[in-house]
Amino acid sequence: MRRAGCLPRLIWMRTFEDTYNPELAVEVVERLRFRWPDVVLTMGGQDRGWLGVVKKRIQILGLQSQVHLIGFMDKATKQKEFQRHDIYLSTTRVDNTPVSVVEAAAFGLPIVATSVGGIPYMLQDGETALLVQDDDPEAMASAVERLLIDPLLSTRLSVKGRSMAETYDWKCVRQDWERLFKDLGLF
């Protein structure tokens, strides 16, 4: 799916634990809501002890009508929710190659992600995603605003992100492994 412009409909999908910094997504909504009063955030994932922290932060900031917690997302729910939203937030503090980012890109969602671990090797800032420093709600909110006001940027990230996701298809990965084994003389 190709996105042509964005509305302030954000989605976050990970496990509710400190490593994935779900509170950052809530903080982004808090910063966006005054300029973009129709901003909404849907958060999905399993609880690993951090859901209560997120619920409390939502309540303190008064974002109950703008942040929706939907629990674990099976395949059908992911498909439905990715189609209903326009921007994917990846707020992780550390990660290697997050499948959630590949899934979001496969649906053509422009991605705003923290530039941590292997993510900057996976995503190119300004080409396949917008990358921001870890735990910086101002920078992440500004990146989301860039997508909201620049439909050419959001379309480019959608198209190039989708192309990046296609490189993770088994057909492509298998060819890369076969080439590597052949180069090493193992195949």
Side-chain angles (χ1 to χ4, degrees):
M1 172 187 278
R2 177 181 170 183
R3 309 287 170 140
C6 294
L7 293 174
R9 299 181 301 209
L10 316 176
I11 186 164
W12 178 96
M13 179 188 69
R14 290 307 298 251
T15 301
F16 286 91
E17 64 180 65
D18 185 50
T19 301
Y20 300 121
N21 199 5
E23 309 98 304
L24 177 56
V26 175
E27 296 289 337
V28 168
V29 172
E30 196 274 328
R31 281 156 176 79
L32 291 171
R33 71 176 166 172
F34 299 106
R35 185 161 177 202
W36 305 92
D38 56 340
V39 64
V40 293
L41 168 66
T42 299
M43 300 181 80
Q46 293 180 329
D47 181 21
R48 296 267 197 248
W50 220 255
L51 184 57
V53 172
V54 173
K55 285 180 178 180
K56 185 172 184 162
R57 192 71 186 140
I58 292 166
Q59 184 178 20
I60 289 169
L61 296 173
L63 297 173
Q64 297 92 328
S65 66
Q66 292 170 295
V67 180
H68 310 283
L69 304 170
I70 62 171
F72 176 78
M73 293 174 29
D74 61 18
K75 184 178 178 180
T77 305
K78 284 181 203 177
Q79 290 175 341
K80 181 180 98 180
E81 295 301 329
F82 282 167
Q83 289 172 353
R84 289 180 354 108
H85 292 82
D86 288 326
I87 299 170
Y88 182 78
L89 301 180
S90 176
T91 58
T92 187
R93 297 179 196 279
V94 64
D95 217 324
N96 184 17
T97 308
V99 173
S100 60
V101 169
V102 176
E103 289 174 317
F107 275 88
L109 286 165
I111 297 165
V112 178
T114 51
S115 184
V116 298
I119 292 174
Y121 299 98
M122 178 183 180
L123 301 171
Q124 291 181 299
D125 185 37
E127 293 298 317
T128 55
L130 295 179
L131 301 179
V132 299
Q133 293 300 308
D134 179 30
D135 208 23
D136 188 341
E138 292 293 334
M140 188 165 271
S142 292
V144 168
E145 285 195 282
R146 284 181 61 199
L147 293 172
L148 294 172
I149 62 175
D150 188 346
L152 293 177
L153 174 62
S154 63
T155 299
R156 182 174 72 239
L157 296 184
S158 174
V159 170
K160 290 189 174 190
R162 169 67 191 200
S163 293
M164 176 277 303
E166 290 172 359
T167 68
Y168 287 86
D169 182 81
W170 172 242
K171 293 173 192 166
C172 296
V173 172
R174 180 180 177 176
Q175 290 174 0
D176 290 344
W177 278 107
E178 287 174 352
R179 192 175 313 113
L180 175 65
F181 288 155
K182 184 176 180 183
D183 291 347
L184 294 172
L186 301 173
F187 190 73

